[in-house]
Amino acid sequence: MRLFHLMPLIVLSLAACSKGTQQPDSDRAAPAAAPMTTEERLNAPANAENGQKLFMACAICHDVKEGVGHRVGPNLFGVYGAPAARFDDFAYSQGLLNSGLTWDDATLDAYLERPTAVVPRGRMAYAGEPNAANRRDMIAYLKTLQ
């Protein structure tokens, strides 16, 4: 019965002893950051590294190396700032040939969101990227291809 009365003291003693063996605050891992809100993500600086990862889905059809030919889609090296349908050796859709587009931020953003809305008679099979932050990152990556 006496041991039962001593249990609270034993527990408190063990708790006090364990405090002395804890790591100092500077050695502890920082708590995980809260996930970004949609607004924070949209206003964050563009991330070309993330854009390159996202572009991997596009790499099935598009090459991005200078001097390399085309795949199912045209080579995208130097695409940012260039006119649409710029290569003579690629068979573009009539819609893209007649578009008069220049691939800048606004045009790329709209096209990556929904290609058929920008070039109605285009042949791009890509359905589009609904996430504005992902589109921004992909555009940042395309800008590095110079």
Side-chain angles (χ1 to χ4, degrees), residues 35-115:
M36 284 186 174
T37 65
T38 301
E39 185 176 344
E40 289 171 331
R41 176 80 173 109
L42 291 173
N43 293 322
N47 182 337
E49 188 176 305
N50 184 50
Q52 183 176 14
K53 290 175 188 171
L54 294 167
F55 185 83
M56 295 310 295
C58 309
I60 295 167
C61 296
H62 296 279
D63 207 314
V64 294
K65 294 179 186 141
E66 184 176 22
V68 175
H70 309 291
R71 293 185 181 169
V72 173
N75 186 310
L76 296 180
F77 183 85
V79 70
Y80 187 83
R86 64 190 168 125
F87 294 112
D88 292 333
D89 63 341
F90 186 80
Y92 294 99
S93 68
Q94 201 60 45
L96 199 57
L97 286 168
N98 296 333
S99 70
L101 297 173
T102 297
W103 298 120
D104 58 16
D105 286 79
T107 305
L108 282 166
D109 184 62
Y111 191 73
L112 291 172
E113 181 177 20
R114 198 163 145 223

